[in-house]
Amino acid sequence: MKKNSLLIHGGISTDEKTGAVNVPIYQTSTYKQSKFGENTGYEYSRTGNPTREALEKLIADIEGGTRGFAFASGLAAISAVLSLFKSGDKILITNNLYGGTFRILNQVFSNFNIKYEIVDDFDKLDKQIKDDVKAVFIETPTNPLLDVIDIKKVSSIAKSKGILTIVDNTFMSPYLQNPLLLGADIVVHSATKYLGGHSDLVAGLAIVKDEELGEKLHFIQNATGGILQPFDSFLLIRGIKTLSVRMDRHEENARFIADKLSRSTNIKKVYYTGLKNHPGHEIQKSQASGFGGVISFVLNDDLNFKRFVEGLELITFGESLGGVESLACHPASMTHATLPKELRERIGITDNLIRISVGIEDKEDILEDIQKALILAGGKDEIL
Ligand SMILES: *Cc1c(COP(=O)(O)O)cnc(C)c1O
């Protein structure tokens, strides 16, 4: 099956017993054991639940993996993946990682002596892989500065050194990018974002290709218990069915907005991998089938960023991304507030940086809202 069909028919897409076209919500914690030592394959819903399993098979199919695991949030998925490591191990990370991922490394796993180190230049990655390094954890495009990292190159260096490559694929979704097919070992998602797509649930996923790694992650999922509930699993399956049409529209709108804003005299810089002058444009084209729906931009110094975000009406000012509605975020005080200020400023997450998750509304309405807010923030009136 090709990818649009797989989103709808992948995994377990119907109910064998009744023919229902949607997977039932098995709202149960336990299962009757018919005889001593005999069960249906389900014993207890932390270990396995048919609704969650349908989602897990679906996500494995659409990411090109063999096993998928559903968790209560993206960070629960990431925390399960990080639990594969032990005291003394070090994980290499990108310099603009999702704030929550940085926080869990910096303030939780560090307590167990699982260390991290930032990679500033991926061209010199191999030199940074010393004996204690056991994995490299990347996001591409990164959040919020949309740097592109070459997944194939990173995975092949990692493989040659015998360490794992972990890719947070939240920004692209499996519709646009499949890191496992490019050589990565583990893919994680905040399914709260594009996969769910409707800002109505919090969920996380981890997907692997290797059977042994799959067994280890299943053990951790059951042992630590951060599973996704049956109803949320159902909602996520429902969201995934329309992923392709939503992503196409997100991207159409994001390209339009990025193109217009790059001509604005009120804006210093626009970050969007779909722009030809983006340094990662060519790598992005080679490893993903699109550019996604998130753009970031820097307001001119004389504009007031607080008045800008407060001036938005159609675009919701709030955390998160990937929903059908456009969302604006102020990374320095919101998603990336957990990064030390010095690191934030060094990499470009300044106070004037705004990130927009471009929704699927009419693109002209989104642009008009931004232009109105630019004027309220002290910008010049202009025709784009
Ligand atoms: C939101 C997000 C997360 C965390 O996911 P939650 O579902 O909020 O726990 C991780 N990575 C990226 C890239 C995100 O955008």
Side-chain angles (χ1 to χ4, degrees):
M1 254 188 277
K2 297 211 287 196
K3 69 178 179 184
N4 293 312
S5 311
L6 214 46
L7 292 171
I8 295 157
H9 301 287
I12 305 165
S13 61
T14 50
D15 180 38
E16 270 182 27
K17 229 178 198 154
T18 64
V21 295
N22 287 302
V23 174
I25 302 166
Y26 287 89
Q27 195 69 38
T28 187
S29 61
T30 190
Y31 306 83
K32 180 182 156 128
Q33 310 207 354
S34 52
K35 281 200 188 113
F36 193 84
E38 257 181 47
N39 60 50
T40 56
Y42 300 100
E43 292 168 78
Y44 186 61
S45 278
R46 170 161 34 73
T47 319
N49 172 281
T51 316
R52 194 177 85 228
E53 196 174 287
L55 167 67
E56 292 176 331
K57 291 214 154 92
L58 172 63
I59 187 69
D61 278 355
I62 62 182
E63 273 292 13
T66 57
R67 298 282 298 272
F69 303 96
F71 295 90
S73 68
L75 276 170
I78 290 166
S79 140
V81 167
L82 294 176
S83 303
L84 289 166
F85 301 98
K86 52 182 195 300
S87 171
D89 290 353
K90 185 185 272 178
I91 296 162
L92 299 181
I93 59 172
T94 46
N95 68 13
N96 58 111
L97 205 61
Y98 175 72
T101 308
F102 182 79
R103 180 176 54 196
I104 202 176
L105 281 164
N106 191 35
Q107 294 183 50
V108 180
F109 281 89
S110 61
N111 295 329
F112 305 102
N113 197 34
I114 292 172
K115 297 170 285 184
Y116 70 89
E117 194 175 288
I118 292 169
V119 180
D120 277 319
D121 183 359
F122 273 86
D123 287 336
K124 296 183 187 138
L125 175 65
D126 59 335
K127 291 198 185 65
Q128 230 171 313
I129 305 178
K130 304 273 163 54
D131 282 350
D132 57 349
V133 172
K134 296 297 184 291
V136 48
F137 189 125
I138 61 172
E139 283 171 28
T140 177
T142 59
N143 177 18
L145 295 171
L146 304 164
D147 287 337
V148 178
I149 297 166
D150 190 330
I151 301 174
K152 233 182 204 162
K153 205 160 123 193
V154 168
S155 316
S156 95
I157 294 169
K159 199 150 283 165
S160 75
K161 300 267 185 184
I163 69 165
L164 297 175
T165 302
I166 305 162
V167 181
D168 182 333
N169 201 28
T170 301
F171 267 45
M172 285 287 95
S173 90
Y175 176 64
L176 295 179
Q177 181 169 276
N178 299 116
L180 295 177
L181 304 181
L182 298 164
D185 300 288
I186 305 175
V187 167
V188 292
H189 281 282
S190 169
T192 312
K193 317 294 167 55
Y194 287 111
L195 285 161
H198 297 76
S199 307
D200 56 4
L201 86 151
V202 174
L205 299 165
I207 309 99
V208 298
K209 214 161 45 178
D210 181 72
E211 298 280 347
E212 199 186 315
L213 207 46
E215 280 308 310
K216 281 188 190 161
L217 261 182
H218 184 241
F219 175 82
I220 291 170
Q221 184 193 38
N222 183 48
T224 61
I227 47 146
L228 192 65
Q229 294 300 326
F231 181 64
D232 291 338
S233 300
F234 165 83
L235 277 180
L236 192 45
I237 294 171
R238 187 185 205 263
I240 290 172
K241 286 179 204 278
T242 58
L243 181 67
S244 63
V245 286
R246 284 187 286 107
M247 287 313 289
D248 285 346
R249 176 69 80 82
H250 281 298
E251 180 162 327
E252 179 193 326
N253 288 358
R255 276 172 177 250
F256 173 81
I257 301 292
D259 186 51
K260 292 285 188 193
L261 295 189
S262 54
R263 289 178 219 171
S264 168
T265 55
N266 292 316
I267 287 171
K268 236 195 300 198
K269 183 164 181 168
V270 180
Y271 298 92
Y272 183 60
T273 61
L275 294 172
K276 286 208 175 59
N277 64 3
H278 186 286
H281 181 72
E282 291 303 321
I283 298 173
Q284 179 70 15
K285 276 210 305 208
S286 72
Q287 66 185 9
S289 56
F291 306 104
V294 177
I295 63 174
S296 294
F297 52 87
V298 184
L299 301 176
N300 279 350
D301 291 336
D302 56 340
L303 265 67
N304 183 317
F305 68 88
K306 285 185 190 147
R307 264 192 260 144
F308 174 79
V309 291
E310 285 170 4
L312 295 168
E313 277 181 305
L314 174 89
I315 302 174
T316 307
F317 177 48
E319 302 260 6
S320 202
L321 61 104
V324 289
E325 62 287 300
S326 293
L327 279 161
C329 146
H330 181 246
S333 68
M334 295 160 77
T335 50
H336 291 70
T338 54
L339 258 63
K341 191 176 166 69
E342 171 276 320
L343 175 62
R344 271 202 318 260
E345 306 233 313
R346 175 159 65 83
I347 63 180
I349 306 179
T350 55
D351 281 346
N352 289 8
L353 180 78
I354 307 290
R355 185 190 79 189
I356 293 195
S357 166
V358 182
I360 66 171
E361 302 96 339
D362 286 301
K363 51 184 182 277
E364 296 80 8
D365 289 335
I366 304 170
L367 181 66
E368 193 184 308
D369 201 41
I370 295 174
Q371 286 197 274
K372 220 170 49 199
L374 283 171
I375 293 167
L376 289 171
K380 291 184 280 290
D381 197 355
E382 58 187 356
I383 296 166
L384 294 177

